Amino acid sequence: MREWSGRRSGRAEEEAYGVGLLRRYARARLAAQVMRDLRRAGFETVRYDARTFQVRYTTNVQIEPEFLELTPLLTQPRKGRRKRIHAYVAGLTPDPVPATWPIAQPLLRPVLRGTTPGNSLRRPAMPYLYEYVVIDHPEAMTYVTEDQLRSWSVRPHEVFAAARANLEAVTLHGTPTEVIRFVDDGDAYWVSHLLLEHWLERLDPQVGGSPVAFAPERGTLLITSAGSPHLPALFAQAEELYARSPRPITPMAYVSDDQGCTVHLTAGPGNPLHHAVQRAERILAVQEYTRQAAHLTEPTAGIELVGDDDTGWRTRAVWDEKSLLPRADEVQIGDRTLPWPELAPSLIPAEGPDPVRYKKA
């Protein structure tokens, strides 16, 4: 790999700064045009994220924001850009929910997510993760709410079944590879394939053994075999993707059980992956409880990750005995630190929070 050394001249630095400034201005101007069209279409919550070069907006039927990728618009010629922006936004509506079940049914897709606020239809899928159903539009997706089921006159299990049936399970052929990386372009719903029974186990021939999957963010699905030498490195890669993504899902690893359902990977003491699995589980718990706390009005106890690769990883909550307590491996109360089993008999679940929090009995 070629390396370059030396210091730029002052003139070159000024030119580079000017180019960067013009680039930021062009991106911000494009985002402003898209945001203006969204607001004219009736969207009230619209925000530009310069870091990811996306415009985030919320429909009238959901709380979690959707994302419009702006890069496709920027890479096209400037001539006719305003017309393309109008067309880009034209298919969106603040209330993008079909009025009848026959119209909605073929548009449904399942998605795997953490806990989201609001009354979106969901059911437990894996630890801290849920299966939701969305209405798939050309440029965005809208979460199905529990209220919507009444207007469609259908039951939840019918909606989940229709969404899964609409997700065409990809079948891979060709030369086996040690690691498969699925990168989602927004239409493939790769991560959602983990919700399909027997799908993961069918990739056995492609990775040369029992598949292990990682879904660190909505656009990335990584799969290798349980015996792969790359597996420890994939834990670190998944954690990095999870930490830096604006749309994270989970840093944990997943496998297929005897019934063909996707479950989280377990590794007991003595297993070479024990600490990696332990760390991933606890990172997800900390992040989900932290995200939950931002939406609760009652005082909440904080939770953090403690430990190391030598002694193991655990979660620790700092509690004043008045706030809502997350489930943790250990709880610090003043100058005392108690293991969860010792404290649990004096606790009861608080009504409402999900994931569950506790209070004094």
Side-chain angles (χ1 to χ4, degrees):
M1 181 174 64
R2 180 176 296 176
E3 295 183 359
W4 297 93
S5 61
R7 178 175 294 180
R8 286 182 174 180
S9 67
R11 183 181 179 86
E13 289 180 348
E14 290 177 1
E15 290 176 351
Y17 175 77
V19 170
L21 189 63
L22 288 174
R23 181 171 179 268
R24 288 195 297 272
Y25 173 76
R27 290 161 69 100
R29 183 179 179 184
L30 173 61
Q33 292 172 344
V34 172
M35 292 168 68
R36 183 165 54 248
D37 275 20
L38 283 168
R39 291 190 177 106
R40 286 175 178 172
F43 295 92
E44 296 181 358
T45 306
V46 181
R47 184 168 64 86
Y48 172 46
D49 189 333
R51 184 173 63 89
T52 60
F53 197 38
Q54 298 170 324
V55 167
R56 304 186 180 196
Y57 66 95
T58 305
T59 72
N60 293 342
V61 295
Q62 67 186 89
I63 296 177
E64 186 177 7
E66 299 296 348
F67 304 83
L68 274 181
E69 301 286 349
L70 301 181
T71 300
L73 290 172
L74 188 65
T75 56
Q76 295 177 3
R78 291 190 63 181
K79 185 177 181 180
R81 177 178 290 174
R82 184 171 294 279
K83 187 176 293 185
R84 287 193 295 273
I85 291 175
H86 290 327
Y88 205 58
V89 176
L92 305 176
T93 170
D95 295 296
V97 179
T100 64
W101 173 243
I103 298 175
Q105 185 175 1
L107 301 176
L108 302 179
R109 300 291 186 275
V111 293
L112 187 66
R113 300 286 188 268
T115 304
T116 62
N119 66 334
S120 298
L121 178 68
R122 71 180 187 187
R123 62 184 179 185
M126 304 162 199
Y128 297 103
L129 299 179
Y130 295 83
E131 178 180 0
Y132 295 81
V133 176
V134 299
I135 302 168
D136 186 45
H137 297 284
E139 300 296 347
M141 62 183 187
T142 302
Y143 284 79
V144 174
T145 66
E146 295 181 356
D147 295 338
Q148 192 61 48
L149 272 60
R150 288 192 287 273
S151 65
W152 289 342
S153 298
V154 292
R155 297 181 178 180
H157 72 87
E158 296 176 89
V159 177
F160 285 112
R164 288 193 179 190
N166 291 337
L167 184 63
E168 183 177 355
V170 64
T171 302
L172 298 182
H173 300 284
T175 306
T177 182
E178 292 182 331
V179 179
I180 303 174
R181 181 180 181 126
F182 296 93
V183 179
D184 205 328
D185 59 0
D187 297 321
Y189 289 90
W190 291 128
V191 171
S192 298
H193 282 72
L194 296 179
L195 295 167
L196 302 181
E197 293 180 4
H198 303 290
W199 181 80
L200 185 56
E201 66 186 35
R202 294 192 189 109
L203 297 182
D204 187 318
Q206 290 298 313
V207 295
S210 300
V212 180
F214 295 85
E217 59 169 351
R218 298 187 192 182
T220 304
L221 179 62
L222 304 169
I223 300 177
T224 190
S225 72
S228 170
H230 300 286
L231 187 53
L234 283 183
F235 271 96
Q237 183 179 352
E239 180 181 328
E240 181 181 359
L241 288 170
Y242 174 79
R244 73 185 188 197
S245 174
R247 298 181 292 178
I249 297 181
T250 170
M252 290 174 59
Y254 300 90
V255 295
S256 190
D257 68 9
D258 294 339
Q259 287 72 47
C261 298
T262 302
V263 297
H264 67 284
L265 175 67
T266 59
N271 188 304
L273 295 174
H274 175 63
H275 286 166
V277 170
Q278 192 183 53
R279 177 179 172 86
E281 290 175 342
R282 283 148 180 82
I283 287 175
L284 180 60
V286 168
Q287 293 303 315
E288 286 299 312
Y289 272 119
T290 301
R291 182 166 64 168
Q292 177 200 66
H295 299 282
L296 295 178
T297 57
E298 298 179 72
T300 57
I303 184 172
E304 61 183 354
L305 177 71
V306 296
D308 54 50
D309 283 330
D310 294 325
T311 62
W313 298 94
R314 58 196 187 278
T315 52
R316 176 185 295 164
V318 181
W319 191 40
D320 60 6
E321 299 187 324
K322 298 178 182 178
S323 55
L324 296 181
L325 176 67
R327 184 179 179 89
D329 295 311
E330 58 188 38
V331 179
Q332 181 178 331
I333 308 173
D335 57 359
R336 297 181 303 153
T337 300
L338 304 176
W340 185 265
E342 185 176 330
L343 186 63
S346 63
L347 302 174
I348 58 173
E351 184 177 352
D354 185 12
V356 65
R357 286 182 180 258
Y358 297 82
K359 59 185 180 180
K360 291 188 69 174

